[in-house]
Amino acid sequence: MSTSVYTPGQVAEETGFSLDTLRYYERIGLLERVGRNAAGQRRFTQQDIGWLGMIRCLRDTGMPIAEMLRFAELTREGEHTIRDRIALLEAHDRRVEAQVANLREKQAALRNKIGYYRGVIAETPCPAAG
Amino acid sequence: MSTSVYTPGQVAEETGFSLDTLRYYERIGLLERVGRNAAGQRRFTQQDIGWLGMIRCLRDTGMPIAEMLRFAELTREGEHTIRDRIALLEAHDRRVEAQVANLREKQAALRNKIGYYRGVIAETPCPAAG
DNA sequence: GCTTGACCTGGAGCCCGCTCCAGGTGGGAT
DNA sequence: ATCCCACCTGGAGCGGGCTCCAGGTCAAGC
């Protein structure tokens, strides 16, 4: 299984992005032009897959595509942008933290509500026996 | 300050929903027809605000509007739907839990990446002194 | 030799959740 | 009396992020 290249289907399978999404990401430049075989079909490298893993992390944590594009750009520009990349990721990390905090807060409120409903039921044990 | 009704502006202020969003929620039935004054202007009750708080929790935790509508419906149907409401909220709670877990997992990966970048910088302390 | 199916392209379409607009009404402060 | 501003309605528009489609090209298995 040390195939050094992967077909679109394999990549979709592995990354969880749909074929259309993979093409879309390439179109908008989030994915650098992917290599092709003689017939013009995409052949992804291990590197491409690694980058897609990064994209997956950023998307799943709610980074908008515009910002991922910025990050992609920085990455392409080379090592001298590493500080900028760190700054970008750290800012994002803070947003993720806030996101989790908000989720937890709202979740607590919802659990409260569930508890309240349970109490209501406890007072009226049998639905139609009031 | 114990105004028993609130203007749209006050409600927007307090709930963080925009005026348009409040009207939109009423239009689609997420908010039951809000009371009006003689001139036809909305006057929200304390109850409306409570409900909006619930909506806020559900939205912020990613519940789609269609499902909030379902919840609203159940609520309007009365006490005999409490078990269904609990079920709905519990299912949602599980999704929220999964959401947080995924965020945490991806966040850890991103922090890893930041750590990696830091390592790269440590090896090349001065940007142009390679 | 033919079918099947994975893939290609460019472009249109879709869903969600708002957000904005035009044109109009009322009501409170000065 | 006047001004201004908050509010009203119905309906159109928008931004993000895909997703689908038509029409076509290879490549391998039967």
Side-chain angles (χ1 to χ4, degrees), chain A residues 54 56-58 60-61 71 79 82-83 85-86 89-90 92-93 96-97 99-100 102-104 106-107 109-111 113-114 117-118 120-121 125 127, chain B residues 54 56-58 60-61 71 79 82-83 85-86 89-90 92-93 96-97 99-100 102-104 106-107 109-111 113-114 117-118 120-121 125 127:
Chain A
M54 186 74 190
R56 166 62 69 201
C57 281
L58 297 174
D60 279 13
T61 50
F71 183 73
E79 291 228 338
I82 286 195
R83 282 182 162 78
R85 283 183 258 167
I86 289 176
L89 292 183
E90 281 180 336
H92 184 58
D93 180 63
V96 174
E97 203 58 34
Q99 226 184 118
V100 170
N102 187 40
L103 276 176
R104 283 300 189 204
K106 299 297 153 63
Q107 187 183 39
L110 290 175
R111 286 179 172 177
K113 189 75 177 183
I114 292 175
Y117 280 151
R118 288 234 174 81
V120 175
I121 281 185
Chain B
M54 186 73 191
R56 167 61 70 202
C57 281
L58 297 175
D60 279 12
T61 50
F71 183 73
E79 291 227 337
I82 287 196
R83 284 182 160 79
R85 284 183 257 166
I86 290 179
L89 292 184
E90 283 180 336
H92 183 59
D93 179 64
V96 175
E97 203 58 34
Q99 225 183 120
V100 170
N102 187 40
L103 276 176
R104 284 299 189 205
K106 299 297 152 63
Q107 188 183 38
L110 290 175
R111 285 180 173 177
K113 188 75 175 184
I114 292 175
Y117 280 151
R118 288 234 174 79
V120 175
I121 282 184

